[in-house]
Amino acid sequence: MNDRATWFCLAFLLLIPQALMAAEKPNIVFIMCDDLGYGDVHCLNPKHGKIATPGADALAKQGMTFTDAHSGSSVCTPTRYGLLTGRYSWRTKLQSGVVTGFAPCLIDENRPTVASFLKEQGYQTAIIGKWHLNFQYCNPDSGQPYSAKQFKSPPVGSKIPDGPVARGFDYYHGFHHARDMQTVIENDTVIEHSEPINMLPRLTRKSVEYIDQHAGGKQPFFLYIPLGSPHTPILPTQAWQGKSGLGDYGDFVMETDHVVVEVNKALERNGLTDNTLVIFTSDNGCSKAAGIEKLAEKGHIVSAHLRGSKADIWDGGHRVPFLVRWPGKVAAGSTCDQLICLTDWFATAADLIGTEVPAGSCEDSVSFLPALSGETITSTRAGVVHHSVSGHFAYRQGPWKLALARGSGGWSSPNEKQAGKKGPQAQLYHMTDDIGEQDNRYLSETSIAEQLLQQLQADIERGRSTDGPKSENDTKKINLWKSEKN
């Protein structure tokens, strides 16, 4: 064999491991519902869950159910920030509430996202759905940003310089947030205006099309599907109206669950099921706009055995459905009761493909990959921080949860104003013995409360809750005791 032939053979042999590694990288489909309560998924709430959710139930049967998974916040924007960055959103200027668009992106342009990271690792990345992390709508001719005062809906042709395609996604199709759902965006451009009732069918169709189009590709894909449902406006299409027997909300949950059914059909049809990791979750608990009390009268309890709902610091606000299917890697019908947070997705994605997280990222992210094979999660984080709509903090470590609020810290009664100053200034619950958060031990277990408070303060001051070099929060104005200012 001559030198040239020898060189080609060596080069070919060196490429084989790389090709094998590329082939082993799974596709990833991450479906995140909007305002879907823990008890809205039938298999998680068989006694008091009256809405049929065959798509989610099938995932649970085929994969793993996490029973102690939490969103990064009990409302939309902060959870989405944490999912994509591996960092709690309260480390930014957003200390409470959500963003409303027509403003620069909350994710700094220099901060890695899980999308930009996976893209660098050879993935095709796409988001089909709701962004809700702010971006600007600009005049396509002048480049000047429009303001919300100028337009209820930005004009068709408006350009978006700092949206998903500027934060690591190759492809974007969707909308910004619920009040601007009529504005349809593709990549960096507003492409049309459409009635909000058309959005869920659109996202379903586009997700399936994406899978079909990328089925034969050489690159693995990361498809992030942040749905806008069953958040308000609660708009089930005609085909789903009356299906649940529980009114529009139940119908809308069923139509939302049908996205899972259609995505699974697309994966199966294209022979992708075995090499695709599918995750199904929600950004927070069910909203009061769903008519929680009326649903309860009909036997459906949106938060199952948990106290509270969307916006609250109680677990009904942020303990979320979390189902994982990965055939051959995750045991069918398995359950995990280990504590995780949606901020953990970034570190898990890196662990999944055997790569370190990039510098300047994942300050609050711990890989839950070991849990998928039934092992214990190795964590350098002492606990998980919870956050309510009004910015009230809670800290969870092991079975103990300290909430720095007198009431719900959100919308449920008693809220902070209703709670007043008569009772304890904080709440401490043993979540194993008292998952419904009824027995406040703050005054009787003072040493435990103080220990959790000190750990929360340390996690805030270090700019991170995991091991690593000290990081900086984006703001110095992080107030732990918000109710004490009322």
Side-chain angles (χ1 to χ4, degrees):
M1 184 180 294
N2 59 38
D3 291 343
R4 183 180 178 84
T6 301
W7 186 90
F8 275 116
C9 286
L10 289 173
F12 177 75
L13 290 172
L14 288 171
L15 287 172
I16 288 177
Q18 296 179 23
L20 290 174
M21 287 183 66
E24 290 171 357
K25 289 180 180 177
N27 301 307
I28 302 165
V29 177
F30 196 111
I31 304 170
M32 185 163 73
C33 301
D34 197 345
D35 291 4
L36 183 77
Y38 187 93
D40 286 332
V41 177
H42 181 73
C43 65
L44 301 180
N45 187 22
K47 185 176 181 181
H48 296 294
K50 304 301 181 182
I51 303 173
T53 54
D57 293 355
L59 281 184
K61 186 176 182 179
Q62 297 159 359
M64 177 174 285
T65 299
F66 283 75
T67 62
D68 204 357
H70 297 259
S71 51
S73 169
S74 57
V75 286
C76 302
T77 297
T79 290
R80 293 158 202 278
Y81 179 92
L83 178 76
L84 292 178
T85 65
R87 183 188 193 223
Y88 293 126
S89 182
W90 48 260
R91 297 195 187 278
T92 74
K93 63 183 179 180
L94 186 71
Q95 295 297 296
S96 62
V98 299
V99 299
T100 57
F102 287 93
C105 185
L106 185 62
I107 301 176
D108 185 270
E109 62 181 342
N110 295 316
R111 175 165 285 278
T113 67
V114 68
S116 64
F117 165 74
L118 288 172
K119 185 175 181 178
E120 290 177 353
Q121 302 303 315
Y123 275 77
Q124 285 285 323
T125 58
I127 169 175
I128 297 176
K130 175 178 173 178
W131 180 241
H132 210 180
L133 287 164
N134 268 345
F135 48 56
Q136 301 170 91
Y137 298 104
C138 295
N139 184 306
D141 298 320
S142 69
Q144 293 300 306
Y146 295 125
S147 71
K149 293 180 180 179
Q150 290 176 280
F151 299 100
K152 181 178 179 180
S153 298
V156 171
S158 300
K159 305 300 288 186
I160 298 168
D162 55 347
V165 293
R167 296 297 184 270
F169 288 98
D170 295 308
Y171 176 72
Y172 171 41
H173 191 101
F175 63 104
H176 185 265
H177 72 292
R179 293 182 183 178
D180 198 16
M181 196 183 296
Q182 68 277 5
T183 303
V184 182
I185 302 158
E186 188 158 83
N187 294 326
D188 65 348
T189 306
V190 175
I191 61 170
E192 65 175 287
H193 293 147
S194 180
E195 291 297 320
I197 196 171
N198 298 326
M199 184 54 74
L200 182 52
R202 172 188 289 272
L203 300 182
T204 306
R205 183 177 69 255
K206 286 291 182 180
S207 297
V208 169
E209 287 176 0
Y210 185 88
I211 293 170
D212 287 340
Q213 291 165 3
H214 288 76
K218 296 181 179 179
Q219 291 178 274
F221 60 80
F222 168 49
L223 174 57
Y224 172 42
I225 310 175
L227 300 171
S229 59
H231 190 290
T232 54
I234 299 171
L235 298 170
T237 56
Q238 185 174 0
W240 290 92
Q241 292 169 13
K243 290 282 189 179
S244 69
L246 294 173
D248 286 348
Y249 181 74
D251 299 342
F252 209 29
V253 169
M254 289 185 68
E255 188 170 6
T256 300
D257 177 79
H258 190 66
V259 176
V260 183
V261 174
E262 291 300 308
V263 164
N264 281 336
K265 285 181 180 177
L267 293 173
E268 183 72 25
R269 180 172 64 249
N270 288 290
L272 297 176
T273 302
D274 288 346
N275 194 40
T276 300
L277 171 68
V278 177
I279 296 177
F280 174 87
T281 188
S282 178
D283 63 346
N284 46 248
C286 177
S287 170
K288 287 192 173 298
I292 293 174
E293 292 181 1
K294 290 184 178 180
L295 288 166
E297 290 173 2
K298 296 179 180 180
H300 180 73
I301 310 299
V302 299
S303 297
H305 52 291
L306 308 172
R307 187 180 185 185
S309 53
K310 177 181 178 177
D312 297 340
I313 202 62
W314 297 322
D315 266 31
H318 49 80
R319 191 183 293 220
V320 292
F322 197 87
L323 311 173
V324 182
R325 186 188 68 195
W326 191 10
K329 305 291 193 304
V330 175
S334 56
T335 300
C336 177
D337 61 2
Q338 298 184 68
L339 176 67
I340 67 168
C341 181
L342 294 190
T343 57
D344 294 337
W345 167 235
F346 197 153
T348 304
D351 200 9
L352 185 72
I353 57 178
T355 307
E356 295 293 323
V357 299
S361 72
C362 295
E363 291 91 337
D364 303 301
S365 192
V366 171
S367 172
F368 57 77
L369 186 66
L372 300 185
S373 55
E375 300 174 5
T376 301
I377 296 170
T378 302
S379 176
T380 63
R381 182 178 61 198
V384 168
V385 181
H386 306 313
H387 208 231
S388 78
V389 64
S390 51
H392 285 80
F393 282 91
Y395 197 78
R396 173 76 184 279
Q397 185 179 58
W400 291 102
K401 174 184 174 182
L402 174 68
L404 306 185
R406 294 176 180 270
S408 68
W411 299 339
S412 293
S413 181
N415 58 31
E416 296 311 290
K417 185 176 181 180
Q418 292 167 338
K421 302 282 187 178
K422 295 181 181 179
Q425 66 176 341
Q427 301 166 70
L428 180 69
Y429 298 108
H430 192 285
M431 299 303 293
T432 303
D433 297 342
D434 180 28
I435 197 168
E437 298 177 83
Q438 298 297 315
D439 181 18
N440 183 4
R441 304 190 194 181
Y442 180 68
L443 297 180
S444 62
E445 302 282 0
T446 55
S447 61
I448 293 174
E450 182 59 30
Q451 177 185 334
L452 295 178
L453 177 60
Q454 290 178 3
Q455 186 63 59
L456 171 59
Q457 290 172 324
D459 286 354
I460 291 174
E461 292 167 3
R462 289 182 58 244
R464 66 184 310 132
S465 55
T466 59
D467 277 357
K470 183 177 180 180
S471 186
E472 294 293 330
N473 298 314
D474 298 349
T475 178
K476 303 292 185 183
K477 298 178 181 179
I478 301 177
N479 175 26
L480 276 177
W481 293 94
K482 291 187 172 58
S483 292
E484 303 316 299
K485 296 178 68 177
N486 293 346

